[in-house]
Amino acid sequence: MNARPHCRCDTVRNYSYDEAAEKLRCKRRFLEDRISDLPHQKRGESVSFCECELALIQIKTSRVPAWVLELTDQPGPAPAPTGATPAVTALASIRPSRGRKRSAVAATG
């Protein structure tokens, strides 16, 4: 059984944080801050990335607008379940209460 089923590299070439950041055209800090959520290899305190892992990171961080998905006939995100009221709608319907009417004494005072 392959311990790295995502890897299709014939010869694994490992890249350091700096090399991976250069290939992905991002900052090293971006990778360091998100390392627990990114595919990578770790030996002791050393972290490295192969070409397949860099490709997965690129896919994970790609954003495709809905109109592009429509043009390419790709399925988009699932629609929200019907009958569910999003919290945003509930907050948008809140109106401030009417203030107290001023008394004649407070208005002249």
Side-chain angles (χ1 to χ4, degrees):
M1 180 171 132
N2 186 358
R4 296 170 23 94
H6 64 279
C7 188
R8 303 287 183 247
C9 299
D10 292 330
T11 303
V12 177
R13 161 75 164 93
N14 290 324
Y15 298 97
S16 66
Y17 270 123
D18 291 326
E19 294 168 325
E22 185 177 334
K23 287 187 73 69
L24 291 170
R25 300 186 57 80
C26 67
K27 295 184 178 180
R28 174 188 172 122
R29 183 67 188 242
F30 174 84
L31 296 172
E32 290 174 333
D33 290 349
R34 293 160 180 81
I35 195 63
S36 63
D37 195 38
L38 298 174
H40 65 283
Q41 302 163 55
K42 186 167 184 176
R43 290 175 190 83
E45 293 183 21
S46 299
V47 172
S48 59
F49 306 87
C50 75
E51 290 286 345
C52 296
E53 290 158 345
L54 295 179
L56 290 171
I57 293 169
Q58 187 172 22
I59 290 168
K60 179 179 175 56
T61 57
S62 294
R63 299 291 179 251
V64 182
W67 66 269
V68 174
L69 294 174
E70 290 172 10
L71 289 175
T72 58
D73 294 330
Q74 296 294 319
T82 55
T85 305
V88 175
T89 303
L91 291 175
S93 66
I94 297 174
R95 300 284 177 240
S97 64
R98 294 184 182 181
R100 293 186 218 158
K101 290 185 179 182
R102 292 186 186 189
S103 66
V105 176
T108 59

